[in-house]
Amino acid sequence: MAQDGPITLTDLVAVLRDCAGEDDGVDLGGDIADRAFTDLGYDSVAMMEVSARMVERFGLRLDEARLFELGTPAEMLRCLNQAAAGDGEVRS
Amino acid sequence: MTGAAAAAEDDQAVITGIGVVSPSGLGAERHWEATLTGRVAIGPITRFDPTGYPARLSGEVPGFVPRDHLPGRLLPQTDRLTQLALTAAEWAITDAGLSPSPEESLRYGVVLANSAGGFEFGENELRKLWSMGPKKVSAYQSYAWFYAVNTGQISIRHGLRGPCGVLVSGQAGGLDAIGQACRVLRKGAEAVLTGGFEAPVCSWGVTAMSAGRDAPTAPRLSAGDDPATAYRPFAADASGHVIAEGGAILVLEREGHARARGARHRYGRVAGYAATMDPPPGSSRPATLRNAAALALADAGLAPERIDVVFADAAGATMRDRAEAEALTGLFGAGGVPVTAPKAMTGRMSAGGAAVDVATCLLAMRDGMIPPTADVRPDPSYGLDLVTGRPRPARIGHALILARGEGGFNSALVLAACPRESPPAAGPPDERAPRALTGNDPRS
């Protein structure tokens, strides 16, 4: 499950598109790393779904309380990659 | 016109927008054209392999591609049920020319009927749960599966933050939602999206809808293979009904509000509504469909002679057809009113069915044409003047629509035609007045 190298924005965008869809007015291929998930059209349920699929894909356990503090793709990736470098558990 | 009369007129509930998605076509006009031709839109089930299931036919909405109608973000979180309803809602709002400002949005509501929820979505997630475990279940399952989902999604998408609700009473639901929408208008809302939708054509849906089908009082699901004969309400050898997906969304609005904003259409007015509940099976008390119809007429202040057409519930099973025919001949006399059931061409859309009947009836009023009940030859012993084969020209001033849900729900709605010209503006549109509808509804 663990992949070579860090989890990238491309990985996250693929999961976003696949499980939570894409707003017509948003270009997920653009520079979205620091835009808020809410601006990109994703609500809290979408975030639960995205995090479940990211965790499933990369074999990491993501604490739900922590999940809702992750406001942007960059923050989520940082959190996941810290976990990947550690023991697989995402900590705050 | 007196001030009080003008204000009472302001409070009347008029229909100013229609959105239809049905097996007969996408959009109200396509649905109406197909309905007038009398073409049967029932066919073999294509959404799953029905081999081994108790029904092999259904009425499916043809050529509906969700991504052609909805933003991509909504697709993974919605069942087909909600995709159909969101599409019809958008059409109805566009047809009505409604665009509430954020300040107004608390006076705009959504009241719909549904009875099965997003069955197919739920089926897929249950399959994942049992075969792959709980972590694979979509977070969207939390709301995609249940019957309030259309109300919520439409409210969110269009920013309609006023009174919302969902009615769960099977096929009667389409009328019950409109009855509830009228109450919401009387309590001060300006406009309400109402109607109903169903999308039960999946393996779990067919299984659930055919459960208990051998019980003597249960609605019968037709086991026929021939789309032309499987669902023939009021025929001597009627063998049950065919399930279908689809429904209609209507914009229901206070007349004063419609006038003040210059609404393009007034398709008709809700003049009366009532609902009754049948006694349990085995009771010596009689069925109550006739009471529902009589109460709706009384609510509208109309004698039976004023009704120009009846859209029947048309269960397509002998006992239920007989009960409906007796209710109608009891009220109107044998052959006393033209009766039609265009749902014979689409199948029964459950909570969507009566909503589509209302939409069809409004278009029938507009064009002075009673659509046919396909090419059914009715049993003469029912004493019904059933319109079959081709449309019948008629001036329709008032219409009665009947619907029955499983378990004893009976609902009746009276529609009145609106005058062609807008009535002259009289007084400020916001003045409250005694409500136009009176409370003969036993459930209110």
Side-chain angles (χ1 to χ4, degrees):
Chain A
M1 288 274 248
Q3 66 174 35
D4 299 332
I7 302 164
T8 67
L9 187 61
T10 310
D11 297 324
L12 175 57
V13 164
V15 170
L16 276 170
R17 280 205 172 107
D18 182 47
C19 77
E22 190 171 1
D23 240 350
D24 297 342
V26 173
D27 176 16
L28 289 184
D31 184 14
I32 59 157
D34 293 314
R35 286 183 63 184
F37 280 119
T38 48
D39 278 359
L40 299 172
Y42 300 109
D43 60 13
S44 58
V45 182
M47 293 318 301
M48 287 178 68
E49 183 63 7
V50 169
S51 102
R53 296 313 136 219
M54 289 300 285
V55 169
E56 177 187 302
R57 193 143 149 179
F58 299 107
L60 303 166
R61 209 152 67 78
L62 193 58
D63 175 41
E64 276 196 16
R66 179 89 175 93
L67 165 66
F68 294 110
E69 296 162 11
L70 303 173
T72 66
E75 285 172 28
M76 181 180 260
L77 288 170
R78 202 152 44 235
C79 182
L80 286 166
N81 282 317
Q82 276 168 9
D87 61 4
E89 176 134 12
V90 175
R91 300 202 173 89
S92 44
Chain B
M1 189 185 288
T2 67
E9 189 173 292
D10 275 349
D11 270 355
Q12 290 180 347
V14 292
I15 293 116
T16 56
I18 302 178
V20 178
V21 175
S22 111
S24 51
L26 297 175
E29 296 304 332
R30 276 199 238 171
H31 158 74
W32 178 231
E33 284 164 26
T35 301
L36 285 179
T37 65
R39 185 179 57 83
V40 170
I42 290 166
I45 288 173
T46 67
R47 292 188 57 76
F48 67 99
D49 176 5
T51 308
Y53 287 83
R56 282 165 298 283
L57 299 175
S58 72
E60 295 177 19
V61 172
F64 179 78
V65 180
R67 65 180 66 252
D68 290 350
H69 303 285
L70 296 169
R73 191 178 43 77
L74 285 176
L75 300 179
Q77 58 176 292
T78 46
D79 184 78
R80 182 171 172 89
L81 165 75
T82 304
Q83 293 166 1
L84 298 175
L86 280 166
T87 301
E90 173 145 32
W91 288 342
I93 286 177
T94 304
D95 187 37
L98 210 62
S99 52
S101 66
E103 299 76 50
E104 292 172 315
S105 64
L106 284 168
R107 309 226 299 177
Y108 285 64
V110 184
V111 178
L112 299 174
N114 179 255
S115 43
F119 248 54
E120 192 174 24
F121 198 105
E123 177 180 5
N124 289 334
E125 296 311 313
L126 279 173
R127 187 177 293 119
K128 287 190 219 164
L129 173 68
W130 284 89
S131 62
M132 297 185 282
K135 288 191 189 322
K136 296 284 186 178
V137 175
S138 166
Y140 293 126
Q141 167 72 2
S142 58
Y143 50 70
W145 67 275
F146 81 138
Y147 39 69
V149 63
N150 289 347
T151 298
Q153 288 282 16
I154 291 170
S155 161
I156 292 165
R157 185 169 188 216
H158 295 286
L160 310 173
R161 300 185 300 145
C164 286
V166 59
L167 283 289
V168 184
S169 48
Q171 181 91 19
L175 301 187
D176 292 337
I178 296 171
Q180 171 67 7
C182 287
R183 292 187 195 107
V184 160
L185 287 182
R186 290 198 296 265
K187 288 179 182 168
E190 299 290 10
V192 183
L193 259 62
T194 186
F197 261 87
E198 211 80 71
V201 189
C202 62
S203 49
W204 190 26
V206 167
T207 302
M209 287 199 150
S210 55
R213 66 191 182 283
D214 295 328
T217 54
R220 271 188 72 191
L221 213 56
S222 175
D225 281 319
D226 179 0
T229 59
Y231 175 33
R232 284 169 304 149
F234 304 112
D237 55 350
S239 60
H241 73 268
V242 172
I243 64 164
E245 62 183 7
I249 307 279
L250 309 165
V251 176
L252 198 64
E253 194 169 349
R254 291 176 62 249
E255 168 66 37
H257 185 260
R259 190 187 307 136
R261 71 175 185 88
R264 283 185 293 231
H265 309 288
R266 271 173 196 69
Y267 289 102
R269 176 169 64 82
V270 179
Y273 162 76
T276 60
M277 179 61 81
D278 279 337
S283 163
S284 58
R285 286 175 288 140
T288 59
L289 178 64
R290 179 179 169 174
N291 296 9
L295 288 167
L297 287 171
D299 190 32
L302 293 173
E305 302 81 70
R306 300 285 303 283
I307 296 295
D308 301 306
V309 65
V310 174
F311 280 65
D313 173 67
T318 310
M319 263 176 65
R320 287 164 75 88
D321 283 352
R322 176 76 58 194
E324 184 165 32
E326 283 172 0
L328 289 174
T329 53
L331 269 176
F332 297 97
V337 65
V339 176
T340 189
K343 59 171 72 75
M345 299 178 286
T346 59
R348 286 172 76 80
M349 291 171 240
S350 192
V356 171
D357 276 346
V358 170
T360 309
C361 181
L362 293 165
L363 297 167
M365 280 178 163
R366 182 192 68 183
D367 292 353
M369 203 67 92
I370 300 173
T373 311
D375 217 359
V376 173
R377 190 169 302 163
D379 182 341
S381 77
Y382 288 138
L384 296 181
D385 173 15
L386 195 69
V387 178
T388 63
R390 66 186 65 178
R392 184 189 296 179
R395 194 198 151 275
I396 305 170
H398 296 97
L400 173 68
I401 296 153
L402 300 179
R404 289 174 289 184
E406 293 185 35
F409 298 99
N410 300 294
S411 293
L413 191 83
V414 178
L415 292 176
C418 284
R420 283 278 174 196
E421 274 84 28
S422 304
D430 273 337
E431 276 178 25
R432 286 281 114 67
R435 61 207 176 103
L437 296 179
T438 54
N440 278 320
D441 167 16
R443 284 198 217 166
S444 62

